[in-house]
């Protein structure tokens, strides 16, 4: 599958909100929080035109959430890589802390990836820190966009693109962790009003 990157679109924020509303309606009370993540959540970032959503729950598997999403037309994304995030080389804990589930939106909606993760786990933090750091640091954002463009042009296929991008993301995230320490950033502990 070829990789098509595009400049950031204002419509991605609205597209996320529409998808988040659909998720909240389908998944019910098991949802702790729904976040816009990935490159489409970073204003100014070059990205694939696919909305990444993080759904935070208290446990996995969560049958109520899965049944609700499936009934609303979402589909499970196949493959072992959809059950656990990339575990950074520096991680010293139990790899199961990076477990997740991935769903695709209904066929009549825009392309997206719905990553279901457990509240307080490192993969929740990783996704949010990625977004916040790149939003706050325009020089790093520009460098990361250039890296992605050159990588997509060099490999041309999604599988090797992801295999190369994962360890590069770990390097980026080491800088993000330093930024978080310097600024006092941490993921939200409570559900925002209206969720």
């Amino acid at each position: 599958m070829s990789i098509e990157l595009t400049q950031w679109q204002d419509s991605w924020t609205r597209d996320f909100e529409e998808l988040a509303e659909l998720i909240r309606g389908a998944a019910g009370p098991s949802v702790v929080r729904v976040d816009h993540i990935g490159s489409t959540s970073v204003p100014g970032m070059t990205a694939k035109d696919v909305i990444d959503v993080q759904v935070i729950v208290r446990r996995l598997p969560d049958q109520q959430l899965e049944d609700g999403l499936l009934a609303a037309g979402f589909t499970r994304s196949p493959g072992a890589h959809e059950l656990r995030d990339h575990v950074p080389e520096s991680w010293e804990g139990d790899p199961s802390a990076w477990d997740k589930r991935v769903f695709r939106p209904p066929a009549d909606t825009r392309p997206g990836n719905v990553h279901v993760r457990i509240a307080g786990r490192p993969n929740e933090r990783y996704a949010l820190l990625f977004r916040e750091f790149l939003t706050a640091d325009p020089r790093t954002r520009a460098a990361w966009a250039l890296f992605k463009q050159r990588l997509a042009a060099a490999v041309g296929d999604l599988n090797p693109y992801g295999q190369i991008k994962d360890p590069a993301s770990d390097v980026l995230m080491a800088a993000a962790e330093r930024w978080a320490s310097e600024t006092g950033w941490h993921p939200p502990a409570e559900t925002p009003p209206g969720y």
Side-chain angles (χ1 to χ4, degrees):
M1 172 184 264
S2 66
I3 305 158
E4 292 185 34
L5 299 177
T6 186
Q7 294 302 312
W8 191 81
Q9 306 292 313
D10 289 333
S11 61
W12 287 343
T13 301
R14 184 185 64 249
D15 293 343
F16 160 73
E17 290 297 340
E18 291 173 2
L19 187 52
E21 189 61 32
L22 183 59
I23 291 165
R24 287 185 199 106
S30 55
V31 173
V32 173
R33 198 178 65 253
V34 181
D35 303 300
H36 190 183
I37 61 166
S39 293
T40 62
S41 71
V42 179
M45 175 58 70
T46 300
K48 296 186 300 293
D49 188 21
V50 176
I51 301 298
D52 283 301
V53 178
Q54 176 168 263
V55 177
I56 300 301
V57 296
R58 300 206 186 283
R59 68 183 180 284
L60 281 177
D62 184 317
Q63 200 61 50
Q64 181 180 10
L65 173 127
E66 291 191 21
D67 290 348
L69 290 177
L70 293 173
F74 288 78
T75 55
R76 285 188 183 96
S77 187
H81 63 284
E82 305 291 10
L83 299 175
R84 179 170 291 164
D85 281 308
H86 159 75
V87 179
E89 289 295 324
S90 62
W91 178 252
E92 296 178 359
D94 183 348
S96 70
W98 297 79
D99 286 356
K100 68 174 179 177
R101 301 293 184 272
V102 178
F103 292 83
R104 302 281 187 253
D108 60 347
T109 60
R110 64 133 32 254
N113 300 304
V114 179
H115 305 265
V116 181
R117 297 177 173 125
I118 299 173
R121 294 285 176 91
N123 51 357
E124 173 196 20
R125 176 186 172 83
Y126 192 100
L128 296 174
L129 179 55
F130 173 90
R131 179 190 72 196
E132 295 303 312
F133 176 58
L134 288 177
T135 298
D137 190 323
R139 290 178 63 191
T140 302
R141 181 174 59 244
W144 187 246
L146 183 58
F147 164 73
K148 287 179 21 172
Q149 291 165 342
R150 288 182 178 172
L151 178 60
V155 299
D157 186 68
L158 201 52
N159 189 38
Y161 177 83
Q163 290 177 352
I164 294 168
K165 195 172 75 137
D166 278 347
S169 296
D170 294 343
V171 173
L172 172 74
M173 294 306 288
E177 287 293 354
R178 286 191 297 277
W179 172 83
S181 179
E182 291 167 2
T183 63
W185 179 89
H186 56 82
E190 299 295 324
T191 305
Y195 274 60

